[in-house]
Amino acid sequence: MSEFLAETREMLDAIAGEIVAWEADPKDRARLDAIFRFVHTVKGSCGFLDLPRLARLSHAAEDVLAEVRAGRRMPDPQLVSGVLAVVDRIGEIVSAIGSGESLDDKEDHKLVAALERGAAEPLPIPVASGRRGPARSIRLPIELLDRLMSGVSDMVLARNELARELREAGRHAAVDAAFERLSVTVGDLRDAISRTRMQRLDQLFAALPRMVRDLASELGRDVVLELEGGDVELDREMIEAIRDPITHIIRNAVDHGIEPPARRRARGKPVAGTLRIGARQSGNQIVIDASDDGAGIDADRVAARAVECGLIPAAQATMLSADRKLDLIFQPGLSTARAVTEVSGRGVGMDVVRANLERIGGVVEVHSTLGAGTRLTLRVPLTLTIMPALTVTIAGQRFAIPRIAIEEIVRIGGRGQIETIAGGTAAIVRGRRMPFVDGASLLGAGTDEAADILVVLRFGSGVFALAVTAAHDHEELVVKAAAPVVMATGLYAGTTLPDSGRPMLLLDPAGIAAAAGVSTVAAADEPVPEELGASVPLVPTLLFRDLDGAERAVRVSIVERIDDVAADAVCAAAGQSRIELGGRLLPLLSAAPLPERKRLRMLRLGDGVASLAYAIDHVVDIMPLGPPAGTAGEPGPIAGVLLVDGRQVELLDAHWHFAEAARFATADARAPLCLLGDPHDRWTRDILAPLVEAAGYRIAFAGDPIDEVPAVQIAQGVETTMPAGAPVVRLRVDPVAYTDGEASIYRYDRHAILAALRTHRAAAEAA
């Protein structure tokens, strides 16, 4: 019974959408067959399991679909509505069986009657997404996966503690090598188990078409839903955490955003509005965009409504920029709906969306053009378990801060200043005034006179400056829930155990802001008079010392992370250096030859699609900087020169570096394929394969699944049989040529082998 319930739930996730997609294209026989197979499977299983009610409903739907398959009926809206209503009821019955509850069957006969020809009233219905192919899988209890993840997390902590002990005990080459292998193995195991917790966003997207169709029908809208990125994977806990925010954003888009058909027609827009939901991975984050081509948000009306609700004074509303007015939609209790309905107008909404996202380390941004539409962008971490963080000291105690919330770090008296305004304290950081929070006082440790560092933290749409005693290292920390009494303070997001071996609490920026009485409106960074600040737009920029000794900079927006990696992770092939990072082989660029060190520091740069590694000596600082004071005369690795406290700092040209990395990737993708022999033969794998790659070929071994004809094949000896269809270069072990039989080349005759490869590559490119 449990297997039947689980399988039926999985099929239900996809089948509701398939029905409406089939309604839009009645000739799509594949979708019709998929729906028919579903009801047929349910009917067949019910016979074995003695579930007569499910059998009656599925049998009725099967009969109707059989008539459609035979061409005796057309899939009109009435028929589709009836089939979907039956599918919905099957889902309700399955849920009731699983929970042990009873479900009234008085309405079942109406559902069956609605399937008959000439039924009086059509039933309300759904819509759909993409096809799903069969997948082989095994079901495991979620509790078991959680135990596995908890175990590997403890293993990571034990590894970190062992690393600290080894550092204190002194260096030993053999022990270091063994520990390096252990670290790699633990990291691979952690990644593998983390992937078992990952689910495709299809799980979330499957229910959206039905929701949009029902809302559009209820509100009198005509909406086309476009989904993209369903194959993106996210931790299952994250999917559940963003389900409600996504739902509310879609309801707002259909209710507040997309206009009724008559109004759209009068404005010269297509009658059907378009709602797009897209997801993509960017570094260690998932970015979800929800955009519509509706009426957009009237920022002035939002500000006026905020004043009416008493959220902000009228004088402050007139001083807000358009972006700051838009951010007011995230204020608790604000609603622009003119009336309370089942969909909106209750004053509970976007503030909950932001709060739910911040609780999991995410952020939400809104962009809108009046009359053209609105886009909301959600950024959430891949997982809740492992989090990049900065360790800091406050009043003698170490804490961690999520790296996603950190905008920059400055020293008081340098680029940061403290001022008293109307009895309160504010921070001025590079010309921006923002709320100041004394970390020691907030945590109940009194006043720490040594706290001379400001960590600028972003929460929601606001920022504030947190005073700390010292800022230490960036680490990837395993985060666990702290004791309930600790979590109840609202200041902490969990606990972790860093390399030091001492438990450490993870600070919650949003909780700190709430405890300090900082609101998102008050925390909007304000420009200060020109004598205190800058008059040009500033962009967060990372300063670093390059391998050639020069100080250079790169915009923080393209820095995915900073890695310390073993030097032996670097390899060279076909004239290009590459490095293995996180299980991926990335192009490696550098301003100078790599130093002779056991470990190298890398900037992992990403443009949202591709990634590359850039080798550096060390990081200097992170600060907001304006555009270059001078630009490069010719295209190259440097875009221009920034002025930083009187110093000239070269800014990397990100476009040039990604183009350089893409040039090798494109060359790799277009290179002809060479099929080699036995992959278990050491000479073939370790000596021949690198030579062939250096000659500009891609490599495949006998037995590998390939979907193209190789340009050339290389075999050892005349007795080795290679697949037909491609020329074969035969190598011999004996320096002396064979007296008879097929021509061959001595396997250490480098010039002859390369000449043969060049000949076959030219032939492949000519073809």
Side-chain angles (χ1 to χ4, degrees):
M1 177 65 76
S2 60
E3 282 292 311
F4 166 74
L5 296 177
E7 291 178 0
T8 304
R9 289 192 190 100
E10 288 181 0
M11 291 187 289
L12 281 168
D13 286 340
I15 207 65
E18 296 284 0
I19 295 175
V20 182
W22 165 58
E23 175 190 23
D25 184 9
K27 296 181 180 179
D28 191 339
R29 181 62 182 241
R31 278 198 166 98
L32 172 59
D33 291 343
I35 301 163
F36 181 83
R37 282 194 300 271
F38 166 71
V39 294
H40 179 74
T41 300
V42 173
K43 186 194 77 169
S45 300
C46 292
F48 289 103
L49 299 173
D50 191 23
L51 299 171
R53 185 179 175 190
L54 277 176
R56 285 195 302 271
L57 290 170
S58 56
H59 185 71
E62 182 188 36
D63 288 345
V64 171
L65 294 173
E67 290 185 356
V68 175
R69 297 177 82 199
R72 293 191 293 271
R73 287 189 68 174
M74 290 297 296
D76 52 40
Q78 173 189 319
L79 184 148
V80 175
S81 295
V83 172
L84 186 55
V86 169
V87 171
D88 285 348
R89 181 56 56 86
I90 290 174
E92 294 171 1
I93 296 173
V94 167
S95 297
I97 294 173
S99 61
E101 300 175 354
S102 61
L103 186 66
D104 193 353
D105 62 352
K106 294 181 179 179
E107 301 295 323
D108 286 4
H109 69 281
K110 295 182 179 180
L111 300 178
V112 175
L115 296 173
E116 299 175 357
R117 296 177 185 269
E121 295 184 5
L123 299 174
I125 308 280
V127 87
S129 189
R131 306 169 187 262
R132 295 193 180 194
R136 299 181 63 185
S137 60
I138 182 172
R139 290 189 180 88
L140 294 174
I142 290 176
E143 294 77 11
L144 177 58
L145 294 180
D146 289 341
R147 285 173 57 195
L148 285 172
M149 194 63 203
S150 178
V152 80
S153 298
D154 290 339
M155 193 182 301
V156 171
L157 297 178
R159 181 201 62 183
N160 293 346
E161 187 173 0
L162 178 59
R164 176 178 57 84
E165 295 290 345
L166 290 176
R167 285 196 300 268
E168 294 177 356
R171 312 295 295 182
H172 189 284
V175 175
D176 287 348
F179 179 73
E180 186 67 29
R181 290 195 301 273
L182 173 65
S183 295
V184 171
T185 302
V186 170
D188 291 343
L189 180 61
R190 183 192 68 184
D191 293 342
I193 294 180
S194 295
R195 284 195 293 272
T196 66
R197 295 164 54 93
M198 306 296 273
Q199 292 182 347
R200 291 162 56 102
L201 281 175
D202 280 336
Q203 301 270 348
L204 176 63
F205 287 176
L208 301 186
R210 174 69 183 273
M211 180 199 310
V212 171
R213 189 179 192 273
D214 290 348
L215 281 172
S217 176
E218 178 182 348
L219 297 170
R221 307 288 199 270
D222 195 352
V223 183
V224 176
L225 176 65
E226 297 180 0
L227 298 173
E228 183 179 355
D231 57 341
V232 173
E233 292 187 334
L234 191 60
D235 190 297
R236 63 174 181 80
E237 290 187 37
M238 300 299 297
I239 290 180
E240 292 305 316
I242 66 175
R243 190 181 298 276
D244 287 345
I246 290 290
T247 298
H248 193 88
I249 288 172
I250 290 177
R251 293 167 70 93
N252 269 2
V254 178
D255 186 21
H256 295 292
I258 295 177
E259 312 95 322
R263 193 177 305 166
R264 291 181 64 87
R265 189 180 296 109
R267 294 177 176 178
K269 293 183 176 182
V271 174
T274 300
L275 175 60
R276 295 182 178 88
I277 309 293
R280 67 184 189 278
Q281 183 173 345
S282 177
N284 59 354
Q285 292 182 328
I286 295 296
V287 180
I288 301 176
D289 287 315
S291 61
D292 65 71
D293 64 348
I297 301 176
D298 187 337
D300 291 332
R301 182 183 169 208
V302 172
R305 183 61 176 162
V307 172
E308 292 176 14
C309 296
L311 299 176
I312 58 172
Q316 184 179 2
T318 60
M319 300 172 60
L320 294 177
S321 65
D323 289 342
R324 295 299 308 149
K325 290 177 181 177
L326 285 178
D327 280 333
L328 291 172
I329 66 173
F330 297 108
Q331 290 296 305
L334 180 69
S335 175
T336 57
R338 294 183 174 87
V340 176
T341 69
E342 289 297 319
V343 180
S344 61
R346 294 177 294 275
V348 178
M350 296 307 294
D351 61 311
V352 178
V353 169
R354 169 164 280 175
N356 287 346
L357 290 172
E358 289 178 345
R359 192 175 298 118
I360 59 174
V363 295
V364 58
E365 304 165 357
V366 59
H367 306 276
S368 184
T369 302
L370 190 61
T374 301
R375 184 180 80 253
L376 282 106
T377 300
L378 283 63
R379 303 178 187 273
V380 296
L382 283 171
T383 177
L384 288 171
T385 308
I386 299 171
M387 181 178 295
L390 172 72
T391 56
V392 300
T393 296
I394 300 176
Q397 180 70 38
R398 285 207 175 193
F399 298 90
I401 302 175
R403 196 159 67 193
I404 191 175
I406 300 175
E407 185 170 296
E408 63 175 311
I409 305 168
V410 298
R411 189 173 296 278
I412 297 175
R415 302 180 185 91
Q417 303 175 36
I418 304 298
E419 67 174 10
T420 301
I421 303 176
T425 305
I428 298 178
V429 179
R430 304 186 204 285
R432 298 183 301 162
R433 182 182 287 114
M434 62 190 69
F436 169 81
V437 177
D438 183 358
S441 299
L442 183 69
L443 299 177
T447 301
D448 186 359
E449 299 296 337
D452 61 348
I453 293 178
L454 296 178
V455 181
V456 180
L457 299 177
R458 179 165 293 279
F459 74 105
S461 58
V463 295
F464 67 91
L466 177 69
V468 303
T469 310
H472 304 292
D473 299 326
H474 287 275
E475 299 184 41
E476 285 196 344
L477 301 176
V478 178
V479 180
K480 296 185 177 182
V485 65
V486 175
M487 299 296 288
T489 64
L491 300 175
Y492 308 106
T495 183
T496 185
L497 188 69
D499 289 352
S500 64
R502 298 179 60 187
M504 182 169 59
L505 291 169
L506 180 71
L507 297 177
D508 179 3
I512 291 175
V518 178
S519 69
T520 53
V521 176
D525 46 337
E526 306 171 3
V528 298
E530 191 169 345
E531 62 270 13
L532 294 176
S535 57
V536 295
L538 304 177
V539 180
T541 307
L542 183 143
L543 305 181
F544 61 91
R545 184 69 60 185
D546 216 329
L547 293 181
D548 59 0
E551 186 178 9
R552 294 196 171 95
V554 62
R555 300 304 189 188
V556 169
S557 59
I558 66 169
V559 179
E560 294 182 349
R561 58 183 294 169
I562 303 170
D563 292 293
D564 283 321
V565 299
D568 57 11
V570 178
C571 62
Q576 168 68 15
S577 294
R578 293 174 171 82
I579 187 167
E580 190 277 326
L581 285 176
R584 300 169 58 194
L585 197 61
L586 302 181
L588 173 59
L589 303 180
S590 62
L594 299 180
E596 296 292 333
R597 301 176 185 167
K598 289 187 177 181
R599 301 193 68 81
L600 303 171
R601 177 150 290 192
M602 300 286 169
L603 298 179
R604 189 187 302 188
L605 309 181
D607 63 356
V609 176
S611 297
L612 64 88
Y614 188 91
I616 66 170
D617 186 76
H618 64 273
V619 173
V620 175
D621 199 356
I622 297 178
M623 61 180 66
L625 297 174
T631 56
E634 298 180 357
I638 304 303
V641 177
L642 301 170
L643 294 179
V644 182
D645 295 339
R647 309 189 312 275
Q648 295 187 26
V649 178
E650 294 178 334
L651 177 67
L652 294 189
D653 187 329
H655 188 279
W656 184 91
H657 283 86
F658 279 104
E660 189 72 7
R663 182 169 64 87
F664 287 97
T666 303
D668 288 346
R670 295 177 179 174
L673 178 66
C674 178
L675 181 64
L676 303 182
D678 184 4
H680 303 293
D681 178 68
R682 290 186 300 169
W683 189 87
T684 300
R685 185 186 65 242
D686 300 331
I687 298 178
L688 178 60
L691 176 66
V692 177
E693 284 184 318
Y697 281 84
R698 290 176 291 126
I699 293 296
F701 291 94
D704 289 350
I706 56 176
D707 56 1
E708 61 181 292
V709 177
V712 64
Q713 306 176 82
I714 299 181
Q716 290 201 67
V718 295
E719 69 282 355
T720 304
T721 302
M722 300 296 287
V728 180
V729 173
R730 295 196 177 273
L731 306 181
R732 64 177 185 271
V733 177
D734 195 334
V736 180
Y738 298 116
T739 56
D740 55 2
E742 195 171 352
S744 62
I745 301 173
Y746 176 45
R747 66 176 185 172
Y748 286 119
D749 189 344
R750 183 185 187 93
H751 295 292
I753 295 175
L754 292 178
L757 290 174
R758 282 194 297 269
T759 299
H760 290 297
R761 178 169 185 172
E765 292 174 348

